[in-house]
Amino acid sequence: MTDTKLDILQGTLDLMVLRTLTALGSMHGYGIARRIEELSDNNLILNQGTIYISLVRLEQQGWIKSKWGISENNRRARFYTITKSGTAQLETERANWERMAMVVGRVLAAGAN
Amino acid sequence: MRALHALVARLRATFTAGRVDREFDEELLAHFEMLVDDLRRAGYSNDDARREAARKLGRLDPLREDHRNQRGYPALDLVVQSLRHALRRLAKTPGFAIVVALTLALGIGANTALFSLVDNLLLRSLPVRDPDQLVRLQVFLLEESGRNTKPHAPDFGRAVFASVRAEHRIVEDVVGYQTTDRAAIAIDGVVQRERAVDVVSPNFFTALGVRPVAGRWPDTSDVNVAAISERWWRSQFGGAAGVLGRTITIDGKNYAIVGVAAARFHGFDLDRSVDAWIAPASGPLMMVARLQSGVTPKQAELALHRLLIEEVDARERTLPMATEALPVGSGLSGLRDQYRGALLALMGLVTLVLLATCANVGNLVMLRNTARRRELALRAALGASRSRLIGISLGETALLGVAGCIGGLLLARIGVAAIVAMLPLPAPPDALTFHADVRVLGFAAGTCMLGALLFGVAPALRATDVNFTGWLQSSHGLTAPARTRQIGRFFVGAQVALSVLLLVGAGLFVQTLRNLSRLHVGFSTEQTFQLLIDSRFAGYDDKDVPALSQTLLARLNEVPGVRAASRTRNRLMMGTTGMSMGIRLPGISEPIDNWDGLEVGPQFFETMGLTLLRGRLFVTADFVSSVDPRRSAEAARAYDRGFAGPLIVNESFVKRYFPGTDPLAAGPRIVGVVKDAKLLSVKDDVRPLMFLASPRPPFFGAVQVRAVGDAQAIEKAIRRAVSAVHPQLLSDMSTLGEVSARSIAKERMVATISGFFSVLGLVLAAIGIFGIASSAVGQRTKELGIRRALGAGRWVLVREALRESFVVFGFGLSAGALAAFIAVRWTSSFVGDLLYGLTATDAINFLTAIGAMVVVAVAACTIPAVRATRVDPLLSIRQD
């Protein structure tokens, strides 16, 4: 079963976390992980713990900020929100990703001939 | 920007690591529980939900590791951890920590203090733009004997400034300044003592490239304005901008303050920190030129000579003269010339002190590590890497080093103040003040790092490079391996050697001071006072001085207990008067050109208690000017100073200029011969000296008073008598004993400092010897006990136990003696100027130092030796 799933590319997790946060507003790590899993339709291998490493990294860059709060089922959890510079970063990263996907797609298409 | 953001975040996380890690765990736990909740809602059983949640979250330990690496810096983490660990360990042995930090602080403090003085006085450039281009221009009269020490034309008028400034190929600009002699300064009516004031040309600051920290500089349109130093601004006005526009009164004239000079700018003279500059100047000024880049002082001398001698009287222009362009980029300083040798000698000495303190600390750290080997072995066995063990050991050293460094800076500050207090300066110049600036801090930090390398690294490597399991298994867990002991022995031997060096050096200086203070000066010093009279400060004009001096001396003679009072133009004990003008005397074919002159008033010889050998002393008639000043002002001036009247000479003068003949028979000028006395300098040999009877002093110098009776009561009475004439007249009063003590202030300073540190070195060496001797006894308790049980005598045991210490001591002593022997030979020419009554290679001094070291070593070994003889055979064998 596992070999049909995708490993996460370096850096793509950060991108997905940022995108998720723009969609969800303020959310805790578990919520982010659940949302990514839902959207991936179980195509991803995600050690949910690695989300937190990504969150530390993003917060160090100042793209997200965090605050302790209470979750929907009354648990103390840390909530993350995307910052203005995070939104800008997401746009840059998204454009980069799309260009990269296009380039990879073209190369692969050319290779098929 | 991003990088900085991340850096700050990581650093913050490093220092709050505990909290950050706890929060991370809390977050993961919350995540885990939410996940379990969701899974149970999806139909998992309780156990399955927990298992599945754990799987989805991933393994926790690698995650935590990743987190640690991401949140901070792994290498920094290790450092912070080591330091925290080291701090806890040091707190457990505060005695060790305090002794080590204090020793280091002394070593670093002594070096930093001396460096601060050496840097300020010898190395530093003036805080101006391109200081290397600045030269002071003066014209000297050339004499057959070489260059005169007094400039013939020290200052120049406006016209010369203009013509020099026009020489664009040579000079970029010219500035002028003139010192105001003992100016009376007041701000808002409050008199300011001990502040120096210069008169300057309006372009002074702009041409030098000194920035104003407040306000602006005087310009050519200004009338009576002043700039003040940053130091004065801070101390007097608290650095407030309100100082601008305030009025400063100098010799009765008002000046408006328009600017404050950049910090640490105090003019060209390092010894006389100028605190105020006034403009515009009216009289002639000293000239400092900024040369065009690439122009050497020599070229400037040649190119400007003709312009500069314009100033010299036309009649004298035929005399051989030379222009001197003296580089002033690092300031002018008499103190520098006088103290260079002393400061460098002390710098060398305190370097030895630093090495000795490092050796001492090295030895202490070594002993401590030895005592801790079991603990280190245990840690290694439990899996601590060697780098972590080294980290722990180095962490302690680093903490001690930092503590020593901070303590050292504090001690340096105190030390500089203490050294400056030993010097005979009324107001310490800024150049002698301790400034904790980049250079000084850098030096202290560098010294500290050097120290840490010397005492910290070897013990750290040694302590951790061991076969740990071997130790843990052995029952002799406390015997240090041979190599560790070797390094300890090296440290102690080095201490002994350095101590010998210090003792030999300090011995020379201490003996010099003793020789000087026991010197017989040839006149009474204790009951004779020297008063410095400041007639200008009290508002007298120079032409009032003769009358004033008569009044004053008359009043002083009326004071009960006063036997005699007189006056001199120059203060006594201020060094040679260095007159070299050629004087023709009857009976001598050559003009005499190497003599000291003392212009004295009536009763001088009686006051000083000088013994008349032949002829007569001055009488009242000698002090009556017979020249009518209206007829020839020049002749009257010469007569007023005594150059035309009768002379009394000293024995040395007779020996030098009248060998085997009678000076009194040569003509009417010389009327008497007195016994040699060290009136001008304690240190220097008495030179040929002529006493000139000066009828009217041109300005006030010093007054001498001899009295009998209770010294304190008399001092008070004298002060009262002077104040009765004018309350502002007296600027200083001391006995000639105090004055002569001040004249050997440099020797006292060098002797005090070197004596202090040699005692310190000796104490450190004693601690070192005591350390290895007692640890040797401690380590061999068992062996000694067995020997004792087998019937060995007490003395055999002592010899056995201390043999190692004696060998170490012997090596240290020999090495030290050899090094000292070479050192005194090497430095004898250089140190010779600082010595009096002995030479650097003095054998007694050498043997005394070695003797002192031996005595101290024996004393340090006493307690361990006694312990060795008291070893109880039964107890020591049962020890394990």
Side-chain angles (χ1 to χ4, degrees):
Chain A
M1 177 180 123
T2 45
D3 42 352
T4 62
K5 286 193 180 179
L6 293 172
D7 260 327
I8 291 179
L9 275 171
Q10 180 84 39
T12 50
L13 182 59
D14 289 5
L15 182 58
M16 287 191 279
V17 170
L18 279 180
R19 176 69 191 95
T20 312
L21 280 176
T22 31
L24 297 182
S26 174
M27 182 44 70
H28 46 70
Y30 176 63
I32 300 169
R34 201 173 49 193
R35 166 93 174 169
I36 292 177
E37 276 194 349
E38 279 168 17
L39 290 176
S40 79
D41 272 342
N42 276 343
N43 279 320
L44 272 182
I45 311 169
L46 180 64
N47 263 345
Q48 293 189 355
T50 54
I51 290 277
Y52 291 93
I53 309 300
S54 169
L55 286 169
V56 170
R57 194 160 45 229
L58 292 172
E59 190 166 13
Q60 279 172 0
Q61 301 295 328
W63 292 328
I64 60 172
K65 56 187 188 207
S66 69
K67 212 161 65 184
W68 283 92
I70 303 296
S71 74
E72 56 281 8
N73 41 17
N74 270 335
R75 287 193 190 280
R76 206 170 105 81
R78 200 201 277 263
F79 283 78
Y80 296 87
T81 35
I82 191 159
T83 62
K84 223 181 236 170
S85 65
T87 315
Q89 178 65 18
L90 176 62
E91 280 321 304
T92 324
E93 291 285 315
R94 187 212 294 274
N96 282 347
W97 174 258
E98 277 164 3
R99 257 174 44 213
M100 175 63 84
M102 187 182 74
V103 170
V104 172
R106 263 193 217 161
V107 170
L108 292 179
N113 289 339
Chain B
M1 189 56 216
R2 287 287 144 226
L4 185 69
H5 205 283
L7 175 81
V8 172
R10 279 178 185 243
L11 286 178
R12 191 185 297 143
T14 302
F15 291 101
T16 54
R19 195 168 60 83
V20 173
D21 287 347
R22 268 197 309 283
E23 284 187 357
F24 183 67
D25 281 353
E26 196 182 339
E27 237 185 317
L28 288 181
L29 184 66
H31 184 112
F32 179 75
E33 311 238 295
M34 285 192 262
L35 190 51
V36 170
D37 284 354
D38 275 1
L39 288 169
R40 285 206 348 237
R41 246 174 262 137
Y44 281 78
S45 76
N46 208 357
D47 283 355
D48 286 350
R50 296 189 88 81
R51 235 189 323 275
E52 177 61 12
R55 194 188 62 76
K56 289 192 98 154
L57 199 52
R59 285 180 52 207
L60 287 185
D61 277 340
L63 202 57
R64 286 204 185 99
E65 187 71 37
D66 283 349
H67 175 242
R68 260 200 297 280
N69 290 344
Q70 183 59 47
R71 69 154 157 76
Y73 295 99
L76 187 63
D77 243 26
L78 179 71
V79 171
V80 172
Q81 254 183 31
S82 300
L83 287 179
R84 283 213 170 120
H85 188 96
L87 197 63
R88 277 201 299 276
R89 303 187 50 86
L90 285 177
K92 279 187 206 150
T93 49
F96 166 81
I98 289 170
V99 168
V100 169
L102 213 60
T103 344
L104 278 180
L106 276 168
I108 293 169
N111 276 274
T112 309
L114 258 299
F115 173 77
S116 157
L117 290 172
V118 167
D119 182 43
N120 278 343
L121 220 46
L122 269 49
L123 307 177
R124 188 179 282 276
S125 296
L126 293 178
V128 299
R129 174 171 64 85
D130 299 329
D132 296 342
Q133 294 172 356
L134 296 176
V135 294
R136 187 185 65 187
L137 295 165
Q138 290 190 330
V139 173
F140 285 82
L141 198 60
L142 286 177
E143 300 206 337
E144 287 158 53
S145 55
R147 180 165 283 189
N148 194 334
T149 49
K150 279 194 178 143
H152 195 60
D155 41 24
F156 305 93
R158 244 167 235 265
V160 182
F161 268 82
S163 56
V164 171
R165 188 173 286 127
E167 289 292 310
H168 291 303
R169 281 177 308 105
I170 304 294
V171 303
E172 198 183 304
D173 208 346
V174 193
V175 300
Y177 72 101
Q178 186 67 273
T179 60
T180 61
D181 199 27
R182 290 193 252 169
I185 307 165
I187 288 182
D188 301 338
V190 181
V191 172
Q192 308 280 324
R193 283 198 182 260
E194 320 287 7
R195 296 283 176 191
V197 178
D198 273 7
V199 180
V200 295
S201 59
N203 68 337
F204 187 73
F205 294 101
T206 40
L208 292 179
V210 177
R211 276 175 217 293
V213 288
R216 60 172 181 90
W217 290 141
D219 59 46
T220 39
S221 62
D222 278 324
V223 185
N224 292 345
V225 291
I228 62 171
S229 72
E230 196 256 2
R231 172 175 87 162
W232 201 15
W233 183 48
R234 251 187 302 111
S235 66
Q236 183 89 29
F237 305 100
V243 68
L244 302 174
R246 287 180 75 164
T247 303
I248 167 171
T249 312
I250 295 165
D251 283 336
K253 257 172 129 179
N254 287 340
Y255 299 85
I257 298 176
V258 295
V260 179
R264 301 192 70 178
F265 180 77
H266 291 280
F268 296 109
D269 189 347
L270 298 185
D271 307 347
R272 180 180 162 276
S273 296
V274 176
D275 278 318
W277 295 268
I278 51 179
S282 48
L285 297 176
M286 313 264 258
M287 187 185 286
V288 167
R290 179 181 285 290
L291 301 181
Q292 294 286 4
S293 63
V295 175
T296 65
K298 200 105 231 118
Q299 289 166 330
E301 283 171 3
L302 288 173
L304 301 175
H305 182 65
R306 269 173 43 81
L307 293 175
L308 291 174
I309 60 167
E310 285 299 310
E311 193 76 359
V312 178
D313 199 329
R315 278 171 303 174
E316 293 175 323
R317 240 175 263 167
T318 50
L319 296 172
M321 280 183 290
T323 288
E324 182 199 59
L326 180 72
V328 291
S330 51
L332 299 161
S333 171
L335 283 172
R336 170 164 60 208
D337 303 338
Q338 203 186 338
Y339 280 88
R340 173 186 281 122
L343 286 178
L344 291 179
L346 285 176
M347 191 84 221
L349 211 87
V350 296
T351 310
L352 295 180
V353 172
L354 182 72
L355 291 175
T357 50
C358 285
N360 180 55
V361 171
N363 186 38
L364 288 176
V365 171
M366 207 77 198
L367 287 173
R368 180 178 162 84
N369 283 345
T370 311
R372 283 193 355 210
R373 272 168 319 108
R374 269 203 167 157
E375 179 211 322
L376 288 177
L378 200 62
R379 282 174 182 276
L382 292 177
S385 66
R386 185 165 177 212
S387 64
R388 188 154 287 253
L389 291 182
I390 292 179
I392 292 172
S393 184
L394 278 184
E396 282 187 11
T397 319
L399 280 181
L400 293 171
V402 168
C405 199
I406 293 168
L409 281 170
L410 293 176
L411 285 182
R413 195 183 184 88
I414 298 169
V416 168
I419 293 172
V420 172
M422 283 188 247
L423 305 181
L425 303 165
D430 184 67
L432 294 185
T433 319
F434 182 79
H435 295 278
D437 56 20
V438 180
R439 294 160 71 114
V440 167
L441 290 177
F443 177 85
T447 316
C448 198
M449 253 144 73
L450 176 79
L453 272 180
L454 286 178
F455 71 75
V457 173
L461 293 179
R462 278 306 308 154
T464 53
D465 176 24
V466 279
N467 175 1
F468 289 109
T469 38
W471 274 356
L472 280 176
Q473 284 163 1
S474 103
S475 62
H476 306 283
L478 289 171
T479 335
R483 287 269 310 280
T484 309
R485 285 224 302 275
Q486 236 169 39
I487 296 180
R489 285 200 298 256
F490 168 78
F491 277 134
V492 174
Q495 266 178 280
V496 172
L498 290 165
S499 223
V500 171
L501 265 171
L502 278 174
L503 283 170
V504 169
L508 293 174
F509 299 129
V510 171
Q511 192 60 42
T512 294
L513 181 63
R514 265 164 61 101
N515 291 347
L516 283 173
S517 19
R518 284 174 174 182
L519 220 54
H520 187 64
V521 288
F523 55 88
S524 79
T525 51
E526 287 325 306
Q527 292 285 338
T528 312
F529 297 92
Q530 179 163 258
L531 282 57
L532 302 186
I533 300 297
D534 218 340
S535 56
R536 285 183 193 170
F537 204 82
Y540 288 89
D541 194 271
D542 284 355
K543 63 179 190 296
D544 304 333
V545 165
L548 175 66
S549 106
Q550 267 192 345
T551 319
L552 195 63
L553 290 176
R555 288 287 179 86
L556 285 171
N557 272 311
E558 287 162 11
V559 174
V562 168
R563 288 283 173 272
S566 184
R567 59 175 163 79
T568 51
R569 181 171 190 258
N570 293 74
R571 302 180 211 174
L572 301 182
M573 291 290 176
M574 289 297 286
T576 171
T577 60
M579 306 249 189
S580 55
M581 72 172 77
I583 274 201
R584 282 191 177 280
L585 283 178
I588 314 172
S589 50
E590 299 280 301
I592 57 169
D593 61 359
N594 181 23
W595 53 287
D596 283 324
L598 205 51
E599 296 161 37
V600 303
Q603 295 258 297
F604 178 76
F605 301 94
E606 292 83 345
T607 310
M608 298 302 294
L610 298 179
T611 316
L612 180 71
L613 296 175
R614 244 179 302 164
R616 63 171 177 87
L617 298 176
F618 291 140
V619 292
T620 319
D622 295 332
F623 294 97
V624 178
S625 176
S626 61
V627 178
D628 182 354
R630 277 165 306 179
R631 189 143 344 130
S632 158
E634 198 139 319
R637 260 205 306 278
Y639 213 100
D640 283 348
R641 293 186 57 180
F643 284 114
L647 302 168
I648 290 175
V649 299
N650 67 355
E651 281 175 285
S652 296
F653 192 95
V654 177
K655 266 184 221 138
R656 168 82 173 74
Y657 292 110
F658 296 95
T661 60
D662 183 3
L664 300 187
R669 288 289 308 276
I670 297 175
V671 298
V673 178
V674 292
K675 235 178 137 174
D676 275 350
K678 302 201 161 200
L679 290 165
L680 300 178
S681 159
V682 179
K683 278 173 291 183
D684 302 326
D685 291 335
V686 178
R687 302 208 309 152
L689 175 63
M690 277 199 274
F691 296 93
L692 314 160
S694 117
R696 280 201 297 249
F699 69 85
F700 238 120
V703 167
Q704 293 81 23
V705 183
R706 184 152 65 101
V708 290
D710 176 28
Q712 276 191 333
I714 288 169
E715 190 185 329
K716 269 194 200 134
I718 292 175
R719 281 182 187 277
R720 265 201 309 276
V722 180
S723 318
V725 178
H726 192 290
Q728 300 277 355
L729 215 45
L730 186 63
S731 82
D732 183 60
M733 172 170 182
S734 356
T735 68
L736 283 172
E738 288 161 355
V739 175
S740 76
R742 246 178 271 156
S743 78
I744 55 172
K746 177 173 76 177
E747 287 73 12
R748 175 167 296 112
M749 174 191 87
V750 174
T752 311
I753 296 176
S754 60
F756 173 77
F757 284 115
S758 71
V759 171
L760 178 74
L762 208 53
V763 170
L764 293 182
I767 294 175
I769 295 168
F770 175 79
I772 59 161
S774 52
S775 90
V777 171
Q779 280 165 8
R780 301 177 66 179
T781 310
K782 194 172 189 175
E783 180 201 331
L784 294 173
I786 294 170
R787 284 179 170 227
R788 182 107 178 81
L790 292 178
R794 284 169 193 269
W795 285 110
V796 176
L797 295 187
V798 170
R799 205 184 58 207
E800 277 300 308
L802 296 183
R803 185 160 57 193
E804 185 195 18
S805 313
F806 281 143
V807 169
V808 169
F809 176 72
F811 271 113
L813 191 68
S814 327
L818 187 67
F821 187 74
I822 296 167
V824 290
R825 250 150 225 283
W826 259 7
T827 57
S828 62
S829 59
F830 158 72
V831 181
D833 291 346
L834 301 170
L835 302 181
Y836 186 90
L838 78 169
T839 57
T841 50
D842 191 74
I844 294 172
N845 175 53
F846 202 82
L847 295 176
T848 313
I850 290 175
M853 192 69 243
V854 171
V855 169
V856 166
V858 169
C861 283
T862 311
I863 295 176
V866 169
R867 281 218 329 250
T869 63
R870 297 223 178 118
V871 166
D872 184 324
L874 274 179
L875 279 182
S876 63
I877 293 167
R878 282 194 196 143
Q879 186 176 260
D880 284 316

